Amino acid sequence: VAYSTHFTSRERLTFLGKIDRLCNCVGECERIHQTAVPLNYARHLLRSLTIWLFTLPLALVQNMGLLTGPSMAVTSWLLFGVYQIGHTI
């Protein structure tokens, strides 16, 4: 940070320390982003989600009645969409 009359030395050091910490956090996020998800984990997650979505209407039908179908369609669309986004990333 260039010297100016707007910042004291302590403020500049604090600012540089926070920027260094931010750079370290970005580096850690890049490592997480570039790590591939193991195939077995992805398959297990998809199977678990599918089984959960197939059994969820059994718990909802008593309370929701005919709205169970549309609500399950929306819920399934949302959750499979989130799964697909996570798998694509």
Side-chain angles (χ1 to χ4, degrees):
V1 177
Y3 180 77
S4 73
T5 58
H6 300 291
F7 298 107
T8 64
S9 296
R10 177 175 279 170
E11 289 172 333
R12 281 197 317 264
L13 287 174
T14 302
F15 183 64
L16 290 173
K18 291 188 183 287
I19 289 176
D20 186 47
R21 188 169 173 207
L22 178 63
C23 289
N24 290 337
C25 289
V26 169
E28 291 174 7
C29 289
E30 281 293 323
R31 259 185 274 134
I32 291 171
H33 176 70
Q34 292 176 358
T35 302
V37 177
L39 183 60
N40 289 336
Y41 176 79
R43 285 182 182 165
H44 179 72
L45 181 62
L46 182 60
R47 288 176 185 155
S48 299
L49 179 61
T50 303
I51 290 171
W52 186 75
L53 285 172
F54 274 133
T55 58
L56 185 59
L58 301 175
L60 295 179
V61 73
Q62 188 175 20
N63 294 329
M64 296 185 72
L66 292 176
L67 290 176
T68 303
S71 66
M72 284 307 304
V74 170
T75 303
S76 298
W77 179 74
L78 287 171
L79 291 177
F80 281 126
V82 169
Y83 170 80
Q84 189 61 38
I85 291 169
H87 185 70
T88 302
I89 292 175

